Structure formats: C-alpha cells, structure tokens
Amino acid sequence: MNRTTGTTRTHRTDGTDGTDGTDPAAQAERMRLLLTGLGAHVRSELLAYADRGLARRVHGDSPGGDAQFDVDDVAERAVLDHLRAHAEIPLALYTEDGSYVELAPDPQVLLVVDPIDGTRPTSAGLEMGMVSIAAAPYGDGAPTLADVTAACLVEIKSGAWIYGDEAHGLTSGGFTTPVPRLSRTTDLTRMFWSIEFNGHPMRLMSDAYAHLVDRSANTGGIFVFNSSTFSISRIITGQLDAFVDIGNRVLRDHPHTEAEFLRVGRGSILHLFPYDIAAAVYLARLAGVTITDAYGADLGSTSLVDLGPMNQKSCIAASTPELHAQLLESVDWDLAAATTTPDTTEAS
C-alpha cells in the first residue's frame, strides 16, 4: 500500500484541539455533522441507483480480495464526492474498494469507511446493508482501532442510524425502541445469534459450532446476515444476543487449513478487515457490548490501514459477559476435521 506518513501531533493545554484552534466541543460537532452527512449521502445515492433496477454485476475484486458489485462502485464514488465537497478539515480516507487516499496535504484525521457493509443483501434489496464510518486522529499515519474517537452507522434501507463519540456517547435515530437496548440473555439455548460464512469453509465452521446451532435454533434463533456491521449493531439494538465470526482463529490455530480458506475465498483470505469492524466495535463498546476477538483478546491493537491476513480478525460479541464467556468456552477449537482434506472434485 502506498501512502504518505504523517507527523506525530501533540495535545495542547490551552483549551483547543491543537489542529486549527477550534475548541473540542465545536470540533466534535463538526465531526458529527460530517460523518452523519456522509452516511446520509451514500444512502441517498444507493437508493437512487436501486430505483433504476438491481443489476448485481460483479466488477472485480477489492484490494482485500472480496468481490465488488455494481452498488459498491456507486457507494465508493458517493463517499469521495461528498468528502471533497464538505470536508473542512484535512482528511485521509481508507475504504474497502478505493484503499488509501489523502484528500488534503498533512491530514489530521483518518476516516475508515466501508461504503456498504453487506453488499450482497444490499444488492438483493434486503435490510442488512449499512454504511460504516469511523474516525481517528491521523497521528503518525498508522492509527489502530483503539484510536477511533467517533463512528457512524446508517441502515441503507431504513435510514436508521447510530452515532457515537467521546464527547457525547451514543445517539441514534429512526429506531422504534430506545438504543442501546442490550438483552440480558445468558443461556446458550435461548440466544438469538448470527454467524459468518463468506470466505469460511462450511465444514470447518460446522465442526466448530454445529452443536451450538443445534442447541439454539429452535428455542432461540440463528441467522447469517453477511454483514458483521449489521450483526454487531443488532446486539446494540437488542434484536440479537451475540455474533460469532471465528474464521481467523481457526486459520491461526490450524495453519494447514489455509488452502481451504484460499479456495473458498477465490485465492484470498477473507476474514474481518479493519473497515468491516472499526465503527461497529467502537459503537458496541460505547453501548456496553462485550466484544473481543475469538481468543477473548481486545481488538484495539488492530491497524486501521492493513488488510493482511495477520491483521484480519475474528470476533465474538455478546450482550452479556456471561454469554460471551460461554461462547468462548463452547466453540470446539480442536476441529478434528481440520486434519482431513476435503474432496473438492466436481462431479462430471
């Protein structure tokens, strides 16, 4: 990845933010307006495009290797157009498809944007697509998830939104119930939860948590949304109790499964990229969600500008610490089937 390295900035003690003399409250409000405005603009452009008919064309691959659809092109253009017209502070931008770009010299803030998290449901006109935006001080040019100071999620179909920052905590609009509204579920048999399969070999995932699916599918609920942002945000709204994406831990624990992950990823490792989770993890923490990687470790060290397999992540998120702990303990990490080679021969 080609990018310019910024200079480290220091905090001031004169009541300003040390960048343009603006007081912190005004700076926070300006960031809120920028992020919420960006989310609304991307949604508007996508709805206008959908009115013309859903083409569902694949135009190529993102830098991370995920298939990019026609709606991704529309959303990426909308992000750049809006920021070039409305950003009042020097920005650097990192997106799923466009990768890294500096919109002004000497950027002060990095925006990490997934213009559509949930491309496939968005292409199908379903509810699970969201615009995901996170902001972090640019610093030395290599901020991590722990550096995020503001984030915004916008549901493309409904327009409902969640915004959070260090100054004001969590705010929302467009939901029929208060947000956050975390459930108090602690019972694995009664949890409503979602799992991830894109780029994840089905048999490995089944070996790891099929028993949990069996226990919860009838007395609880199991869902596949193909959007980590939507899944995590549904814990914030109280609609889900948990989200589980264990692919990256399975690969790390069983490196010999790499060929299988590459096979289903069409030559790429497709786990949680930083733009997939930067906004959702930040907002989930503000809401009180227990959220870690699949080892139970904090996600804060995740680089916001690295798409490599070793910076990709797993995730276990739950509405209660008790449910989170039980999920970590109940997934079968040994994976006896991981030692066997699947028959991938196609029938003639």
Side-chain angles (χ1 to χ4, degrees), residues 2-119:
N2 294 322
R3 60 182 178 82
T4 302
T5 301
T7 57
T8 303
R9 293 171 176 80
T10 58
H11 294 287
R12 295 177 55 164
T13 57
D14 58 0
T16 69
D17 65 2
T19 55
D20 61 0
T22 306
D23 70 88
Q27 186 78 356
E29 177 63 10
R30 194 160 62 174
M31 184 61 66
R32 184 187 69 82
L33 293 174
L34 179 64
L35 268 58
T36 56
L38 174 59
H41 177 72
V42 173
R43 174 179 181 255
S44 176
E45 292 296 296
L46 287 168
L47 292 180
Y49 183 75
D51 285 343
R52 296 162 44 192
L54 295 167
R56 302 187 192 175
R57 292 190 298 267
V58 176
H59 288 180
D61 295 334
S62 72
D66 204 6
Q68 293 297 285
F69 287 68
D70 52 316
V71 290
D72 290 308
D73 291 340
V74 173
E76 288 278 349
R77 287 196 302 271
V79 170
L80 282 171
D81 289 346
H82 186 83
L83 290 178
R84 285 170 173 159
H86 296 283
E88 298 178 359
I89 57 176
L91 294 177
L93 175 67
Y94 201 90
T95 68
E96 177 178 12
D97 195 23
S99 193
Y100 177 89
V101 60
E102 289 188 3
L103 299 178
D106 193 24
Q108 297 170 5
V109 173
L110 174 71
L111 294 188
V112 179
V113 181
D114 193 344
I116 309 176
D117 192 81
T119 293

Side-chain angles (χ1 to χ4, degrees), residues 77-325:
R77 287 196 302 271
V79 170
L80 282 171
D81 289 346
H82 186 83
L83 290 178
R84 285 170 173 159
H86 296 283
E88 298 178 359
I89 57 176
L91 294 177
L93 175 67
Y94 201 90
T95 68
E96 177 178 12
D97 195 23
S99 193
Y100 177 89
V101 60
E102 289 188 3
L103 299 178
D106 193 24
Q108 297 170 5
V109 173
L110 174 71
L111 294 188
V112 179
V113 181
D114 193 344
I116 309 176
D117 192 81
T119 293
R120 291 155 191 83
T122 300
S123 294
L126 299 174
E127 292 79 8
M128 289 77 78
M130 302 190 78
V131 184
S132 170
I133 310 163
Y138 188 84
D140 61 0
T144 66
L145 199 150
D147 296 317
V148 172
T149 55
C152 181
L153 301 178
V154 179
E155 294 183 12
I156 294 167
K157 190 155 189 177
S158 73
W161 56 271
I162 304 173
Y163 180 83
D165 62 27
E166 293 182 337
H168 304 103
L170 206 66
T171 57
S172 65
F175 295 99
T176 57
T177 56
V179 176
R181 193 182 188 182
L182 272 59
S183 79
R184 303 313 305 163
T185 301
T186 59
D187 186 346
L188 291 173
T189 68
R190 296 188 178 276
M191 66 178 172
F192 279 58
W193 61 306
S194 62
I195 53 181
E196 177 62 52
F197 282 132
N198 184 30
H200 294 36
M202 176 71 81
R203 72 181 190 91
L204 296 180
M205 300 303 102
S206 179
D207 287 343
Y209 49 52
H211 58 292
L212 293 174
V213 174
D214 291 343
R215 290 176 64 185
S216 61
N218 186 260
T219 54
I222 179 71
F223 305 91
V224 180
F225 292 133
N226 279 325
S227 168
S228 56
T229 290
F230 186 80
S231 291
I232 295 169
S233 70
R234 294 314 94 176
I235 304 175
I236 298 174
T237 63
Q239 293 167 275
L240 289 184
D241 305 309
F243 166 62
V244 172
D245 183 339
I246 62 170
N248 194 254
R249 174 169 174 175
V250 171
L251 176 59
R252 290 172 187 252
D253 286 355
H254 307 281
H256 57 278
T257 64
E258 181 178 12
E260 284 197 65
F261 281 100
L262 290 171
R263 175 178 59 83
V264 299
R266 299 181 304 114
S268 297
I269 301 298
L270 301 178
H271 296 155
L272 290 174
F273 294 106
Y275 52 72
D276 288 324
I277 58 173
V281 169
Y282 177 78
L283 294 172
R285 286 174 170 167
L286 285 181
V289 175
T290 302
I291 186 165
T292 66
D293 69 10
Y295 292 98
D298 189 86
L299 289 161
S301 62
T302 307
S303 169
L304 296 178
V305 293
D306 180 0
L307 301 184
M310 296 310 294
N311 190 59
Q312 294 176 36
K313 297 298 179 181
S314 53
C315 182
I316 293 183
S319 57
T320 62
E322 296 86 354
L323 186 62
H324 182 274

